[in-house]
Amino acid sequence: MTTKLPVQIRTRKFIRNALLARRQFVIDVIHPGRANVSKAELQEKIGEMYKVSELTRIFLFGFRSQYGGGKSTGFALIYDSMKDAEKFEPKYRLARSGLQKKREGSRKQIKEKKNRGKKVWGLGRRIARHKAKKANS
């Protein structure tokens, strides 16, 4: 299916958050005949709606499709600048959008490192931490 069916975007609960230097709102996406709409496509459409020059300043998350399909609801943030986005946005969302490096290693590795560090006390603690860091990388 090469032709994309039309999508309608409605915004609700629009707030201009001056403390966090952003605009935030709930998005209702009406997409009959389509399973869902990609975040990249929504980013472009919201960028046009709100006249945003850099699409990387738009963060979309928390989308849920309504039962029966045809409608999804999510949340959008548009930061005033990239500097503000990097300052206030959580690291995982920055990594998701490709603005920051993703965390290396699994949860299990992180916990094992923590527990190895707990076993050693006193003067040898710094050396043990160094060995744990070497083993992890």
Side-chain angles (χ1 to χ4, degrees):
M1 195 158 106
T2 55
T3 58
K4 291 185 178 180
L5 293 169
V7 171
Q8 188 179 25
I9 298 174
R10 291 185 183 151
T11 59
R12 295 183 287 129
K13 300 183 179 179
F14 185 93
I15 296 171
R16 172 76 188 99
N17 192 333
L19 289 174
L20 296 176
R22 70 186 184 195
R23 293 171 275 179
Q24 57 192 48
F25 46 91
V26 174
I27 305 173
D28 292 323
V29 184
I30 299 160
H31 49 88
R34 287 176 74 168
N36 55 21
V37 185
S38 71
K39 286 183 185 173
E41 190 179 336
L42 288 174
Q43 228 176 6
E44 289 173 20
K45 291 192 183 272
I46 289 169
E48 289 171 19
M49 281 172 64
Y50 289 98
K51 297 176 181 69
V52 179
S53 57
E54 295 175 81
L55 294 181
T56 52
R57 289 183 359 212
I58 301 170
F59 291 86
L60 304 168
F61 59 94
F63 279 87
R64 291 280 173 259
S65 295
Q66 203 174 50
Y67 180 75
K71 184 179 176 185
S72 299
T73 303
F75 205 74
L77 308 171
I78 302 174
Y79 283 92
D80 295 346
S81 69
M82 261 333 284
K83 199 173 187 179
D84 293 326
E86 288 167 2
K87 184 177 178 183
F88 296 118
E89 199 62 12
K91 304 285 182 262
Y92 77 93
R93 279 206 296 253
L94 289 170
R96 206 183 264 177
S97 60
L99 299 172
Q100 202 171 50
K101 194 177 68 146
K102 288 191 178 183
R103 176 185 267 179
E104 294 285 324
S106 67
R107 254 177 93 81
K108 187 174 181 183
Q109 283 178 323
I110 294 163
K111 288 183 177 187
E112 284 173 353
K113 179 184 171 189
K114 173 193 66 125
N115 290 332
R116 276 195 300 269
K118 280 168 46 176
K119 288 177 185 171
V120 183
W121 284 94
L123 294 172
R125 188 171 184 145
R126 193 188 65 149
I127 297 164
R129 268 201 201 139
H130 181 71
K131 282 183 180 176
K133 193 173 184 180
K134 264 187 152 179
N136 215 3
S137 60

